[in-house]
Amino acid sequence: MMALHIQENVPLAPLTTFKTGGPARFFCTAKSEGELRQAIEFARSRRIPFFVLGGGSNVLIPDRGFFGLAIKNEIKVTQFIERREEVSLVAGAGENWDALVAMTVQKNLYGLENLSGIPGTVGAAPIQNIGAYGVEVADVLSHVDVFDAEEMKEKRFDVQECMFSYRNSLFKSAHGKRFIITAVGFVLKKEGQCRIHYKDLALAFNDTRENITPQKIRSAVLEIRKQKFPDLTECGTAGSFFKNPIIDEAEYLNLVSRYRELPGYPEKNGKIKIPLAWILDKVCLLKGYRKGNVGLFSNQPLVVVNYGNATTEEIINFTREVSQKVFEAAGLTIESEVRILGEIDLQFATQVIHSSS
Ligand code: NAP
């Protein structure tokens, strides 16, 4: 086996879509499970923490950088297996998410089309259970293959074991950080029903409800996203920064008594999801709010944008201020969807180091 190429003091900002943060003390790419294993062994032998980077579209790197090993997951493979009415797809964690969606749509397969245009890698998709326009990745997933960095062996999780919920999974929890996703399995349908119940998508198909194909859904989603979300090639952002709050009915009714037009979407557990963008816009009057180099995107206030040379600290301070304003105006505690590299990762790394000693 070839020795892994470990680089030193590698800037991480260009590898993230926010374009902020300092360098990694050590850096390598892992193109196979073997290389991943070698990378983790390197970190263990030096007793340093490590973290795994995908497309860098959901992470904020501290300005001081990362004193351990950053591993860029570039495990690539795509395999389609024909079944009777379905097609099984296995994709490597380092594959580009949207390129994979485009490939499935080209084959006229149903399942991933609503998730078009989302930046990042395949491996990142199950971590936060990416979702858009009424579809979550958990809906079409069959399994997730991981490398367990604590037991140093491969494992497979089925959908139940992944503990998916709204923008959340086992892999986001402190316990789940030990599992590094290497491949994801999907079940796609040859014939299916396209989901267009979200308002923007329904509007796009207003006149033509017949013959809606995955390709047509993809084109519509890409067009809607182009109007509403910033272009990653033009400014730094990680898409939606905050999660939509999911609250009890009593809390929702209390808010509706003050804000009659507040939308609410019932969840399976009896709770109600409210669009934070509405609260930011109509209650906090923060649509387009900007402070220095950081702001809420004018077309969609859930999206935080680095307009120039913002630092990670500026972004964190800005989002804390926004959270505070939401709490003061609406009494809601909001959570970040973007992962801020820090405490939880370092705690995990320490656990890994201890368990190997
Ligand atoms: P939108 O359609 O204006 O809707 C606002 C929010 O209300 C959405 O976040 C959505 O929750 C919820 N919602 C709307 N219609 C719903 C329905 N029929 N049933 C249940 N919930 C409904 O949202 P948008 O900002 O333009 O975004 C469009 C979609 O792309 C959303 O699904 C959004 O989550 C997704 N998106 C995700 C990211 C990301 O970074 N994760 C970035 C951009 C967009 P849901 O979030 O549960 O869908």
Side-chain angles (χ1 to χ4, degrees):
M1 195 184 289
M2 291 262 290
L4 195 66
H5 178 50
I6 306 268
Q7 295 167 259
E8 294 190 49
N9 303 317
V10 173
L12 291 177
L15 301 177
T16 71
T17 58
F18 251 133
K19 306 280 178 229
T20 66
R25 175 71 187 88
F26 296 102
F27 175 87
C28 69
T29 58
K31 294 190 190 310
S32 64
E33 281 182 14
E35 289 189 349
L36 191 58
R37 179 187 285 271
Q38 283 184 55
I40 295 164
E41 279 166 357
F42 173 87
R44 284 182 163 213
S45 67
R46 298 214 168 205
R47 300 183 152 258
I48 52 170
F50 66 85
F51 87 97
V52 179
L53 190 65
S57 58
N58 207 41
V59 65
L60 265 174
I61 308 286
D63 295 313
R64 64 178 181 279
F66 180 63
F67 69 94
L69 170 68
I71 306 167
K72 180 129 168 44
N73 189 334
E74 290 194 355
I75 301 175
K76 295 198 180 170
V77 61
T78 44
Q79 194 184 12
F80 289 85
I81 303 158
E82 289 272 340
R83 311 225 183 266
R84 202 173 282 180
E85 284 154 8
E86 296 170 343
V87 171
S88 296
L89 163 64
V90 176
E95 294 285 352
N96 176 277
W97 173 261
D98 196 48
L100 186 80
V101 175
M103 213 187 292
T104 65
V105 162
Q106 221 164 32
K107 290 176 184 285
N108 205 30
L109 295 171
Y110 291 73
L112 299 183
E113 60 279 6
N114 291 43
L115 303 176
S116 292
I118 299 179
T121 55
V122 167
I127 297 178
Q128 67 147 350
N129 186 16
I130 59 168
Y133 305 102
V135 176
E136 290 183 341
V137 78
D139 301 337
V140 279
L141 200 136
S142 58
H143 65 267
V144 174
D145 286 335
V146 303
F147 184 78
D148 181 343
E150 204 157 298
E151 291 182 11
M152 294 301 276
K153 66 178 191 197
E154 292 152 25
K155 286 186 180 161
R156 174 166 289 188
F157 291 109
D158 65 24
V159 183
Q160 274 70 38
E161 289 169 319
C162 294
M163 294 166 61
F164 289 118
S165 58
Y166 180 64
R167 305 290 183 269
N168 207 356
S169 74
L170 162 72
F171 312 108
K172 250 188 154 174
S173 67
H175 163 67
K177 293 273 168 200
R178 58 192 272 185
F179 304 121
I180 299 165
I181 297 177
T182 53
V184 183
F186 305 89
V187 180
L188 306 173
K189 300 246 183 296
K190 291 181 183 172
E191 297 286 336
Q193 195 86 46
C194 287
R195 275 174 272 188
I196 56 161
H197 60 285
Y198 268 43
K199 194 177 74 192
D200 286 353
L201 209 45
L203 278 174
F205 289 99
N206 224 1
D207 303 325
T208 50
R209 296 266 167 149
E210 307 270 295
N211 302 322
I212 301 178
T213 60
Q215 183 63 65
K216 286 183 187 165
I217 295 280
R218 175 170 169 80
S219 303
V221 167
L222 291 179
E223 188 52 39
I224 297 166
R225 292 188 73 105
K226 203 163 87 186
Q227 308 297 329
K228 216 160 182 180
F229 299 105
D231 184 343
L232 282 178
T233 59
E234 281 170 19
C235 58
T237 180
S240 302
F241 192 93
F242 305 102
K243 288 187 195 179
N244 288 313
I246 296 178
I247 58 178
D248 292 334
E249 196 181 357
E251 200 181 348
Y252 175 69
L253 291 175
N254 181 18
L255 278 172
V256 169
S257 69
R258 284 152 63 202
Y259 310 106
R260 292 201 160 272
E261 285 167 22
L262 172 67
Y265 303 98
E267 289 285 296
K268 285 174 202 137
N269 56 6
K271 295 194 170 197
I272 301 190
K273 181 180 66 190
I274 53 171
L276 182 62
W278 196 94
I279 299 279
L280 291 168
D281 181 10
K282 308 272 198 276
V283 178
C284 304
L285 309 177
L286 286 176
K287 196 169 178 175
Y289 177 56
R290 181 169 171 173
K291 205 168 179 183
N293 293 317
V294 191
L296 299 181
F297 191 57
S298 48
N299 291 351
Q300 169 45 287
L302 217 53
V303 174
V304 173
V305 175
N306 168 8
Y307 282 107
N309 298 316
T311 60
T312 295
E313 193 183 359
E314 275 180 274
I315 294 170
I316 292 174
N317 288 342
F318 178 84
T319 56
R320 280 197 185 132
E321 185 191 324
V322 169
S323 306
Q324 186 61 30
K325 285 183 194 285
V326 170
F327 184 72
E328 282 162 13
L332 292 167
T333 304
I334 57 172
E335 279 177 48
S336 157
E337 192 174 285
V338 173
R339 173 179 154 212
I340 300 165
L341 184 65
E343 286 300 298
I344 191 168
D345 303 86
L346 299 186
Q347 267 171 23
F348 162 64
T350 315
Q351 278 165 21
V352 168
I353 290 163
H354 284 165
S355 69
S356 67
S357 56

